[in-house]
Amino acid sequence: MARPRVPLLSRERIRDTALAMIDRDGLAEVSMRKLAAELGVQAASLYGHYPNKDDLFDDIATGVMSHVDTSGFDTLPWDDGLAAWARSYRTALVTHPNFVPYLAAGPGRRAENLRAADAVHGGLVGAGWPPRYATMIGAATRYLVMGSTVGSFAGGFADDVQVYRDRYPHLNQAHLLRAVAEEIDDDSFELALTSFIAGLRGTYASVVSPD
């Protein structure tokens, strides 16, 4: 009887399988050995495509970051461009929350990261922001986006009313949050982002000299 055919390995198949495992099991649970087992091959087969796990994870990071759109800085006022970038950035990350810690801790030398950073910094400086402020705005937006994707605030509450009743009188509706966690999380990000940008508009008026 012929042995069942195993689909040929490719960088794309390895990368997609690894990301699916990270989404399912968490970043710490993924090893080259476990990934090979998931793919139905020996671990040695992976090393011809990726020399080590960090090389694989860097490729995954490049793929995730390639979905971040910075084009708003070319066509919109700086505040609208910043908002569009932040929303695109969050959309790219929010479906892979288990991978966000790697993106946050990884080196700032990836081409996609540098492309985005260059576009953001250039767009802000081009709008009149001093370079130091442009750097801080980019960093602060990154903190906001990543902080909103590493875990769900609303989803962390139990749906059992007895957990909160009597002991936490101001949380008497907390058991309802889990059912609408995605909506709460999205709206909370929007509140934080719009408030942040509203504050920046006031700062812009005070630090940017009129033409």
Side-chain angles (χ1 to χ4, degrees), residues 122-135:
L124 292 171
V125 171
W129 282 102
R132 177 176 172 79
Y133 275 89
T135 298

Side-chain angles (χ1 to χ4, degrees), residues 3-210:
R3 182 177 296 179
R5 291 188 62 187
V6 176
L8 292 175
L9 281 181
S10 65
R11 286 174 66 91
E12 181 180 12
R13 182 169 173 243
I14 294 169
R15 184 176 63 244
D16 290 349
T17 302
L19 184 55
M21 290 178 67
I22 292 167
D23 290 342
R24 184 189 70 205
D25 303 328
L27 193 64
E29 293 300 313
V30 177
S31 66
M32 297 298 267
R33 179 182 59 80
K34 290 180 180 178
L35 175 59
E38 188 86 2
L39 288 162
V41 300
Q42 296 297 314
S45 302
L46 303 180
Y47 292 112
H49 299 275
Y50 292 102
N52 52 59
K53 189 171 71 171
D54 280 342
D55 188 59
L56 168 60
F57 282 4
D58 275 350
D59 200 20
I60 293 173
T62 294
V64 172
M65 290 299 296
S66 70
H67 295 289
V68 178
D69 185 6
T70 59
S71 63
F73 288 102
D74 298 326
T75 58
L76 300 171
W78 71 265
D79 48 353
D80 292 335
L82 184 65
W85 167 56
R87 291 178 180 126
S88 172
Y89 196 176
R90 182 173 185 267
T91 296
L93 269 57
V94 75
T95 54
H96 305 293
N98 289 340
F99 193 63
V100 172
Y102 187 83
L103 292 171
R109 296 189 296 272
R110 302 184 192 101
E112 283 296 333
N113 294 63
L114 294 173
R115 176 193 63 79
D118 184 67
V120 172
H121 192 80
L124 292 171
V125 171
W129 282 102
R132 177 176 172 79
Y133 275 89
T135 298
M136 292 189 295
I137 291 168
T141 306
R142 181 175 181 267
Y143 302 150
L144 178 61
V145 169
M146 288 196 167
S148 75
T149 59
V150 292
S152 169
F153 172 78
F157 288 90
D159 54 12
D160 181 359
V161 67
Q162 297 301 326
V163 173
Y164 310 103
R165 179 173 290 174
D166 301 328
R167 289 194 298 168
Y168 308 104
H170 300 297
L171 297 179
N172 61 354
Q173 299 294 305
H175 65 288
L176 302 175
L177 290 175
R178 192 165 187 167
V180 291
E182 184 174 348
E183 177 186 343
I184 294 293
D185 293 339
D186 289 347
D187 289 350
S188 298
F189 172 74
E190 283 297 317
L191 174 62
L193 178 63
T194 55
S195 299
F196 171 57
I197 293 176
L200 286 177
R201 292 190 187 105
T203 304
Y204 182 81
S206 67
V207 303
V208 177
S209 300

